[in-house]
Amino acid sequence: EFRRVLFRSELSPLVSLSGSWIGSPGDRSGIVVPNLTLTPGDRVSIIAAVYLPYGATLRDGRLGSVYGASPLSAFGQLRLYF
């Protein structure tokens, strides 16, 4: 069984904040993903996100939870529209 929550907020016409959470209530693990989007013009947008996992990691070589062993990671994207 899994749960997922999404949110989005426009802080200004140029900046929006969004994110998601996906979790496993059974083992109390999950991943939180905050996302920042900058849109300085009609033809450009810049996106940055960080993947923040939590939960039990490996135990004796076995997974302790669904998401706990996931790596901390980041994502960046530049979009150009022609």
Side-chain angles (χ1 to χ4, degrees):
E1 183 178 350
F2 298 93
R3 303 275 190 251
R4 184 170 182 180
V5 176
L6 304 169
F7 74 91
R8 182 171 177 90
S9 177
E10 187 174 287
L11 304 177
S12 76
L14 302 177
V15 180
S16 66
L17 180 64
S18 62
S20 61
W21 167 80
I22 185 168
S24 173
D27 63 13
R28 295 183 177 177
S29 68
I31 299 177
V32 177
V33 186
N35 184 336
L36 179 68
T37 302
L38 304 173
T39 310
D42 292 338
R43 303 177 121 190
V44 177
S45 63
I46 302 163
I47 301 167
V50 179
Y51 296 82
L52 305 167
Y54 63 91
T57 57
L58 294 176
R59 294 180 191 158
D60 299 323
R62 303 182 81 179
L63 289 176
S65 64
V66 175
Y67 297 107
S70 299
L72 173 67
S73 56
F75 170 81
Q77 183 177 54
L78 171 65
R79 292 182 183 174
L80 302 172
Y81 303 96
F82 298 97

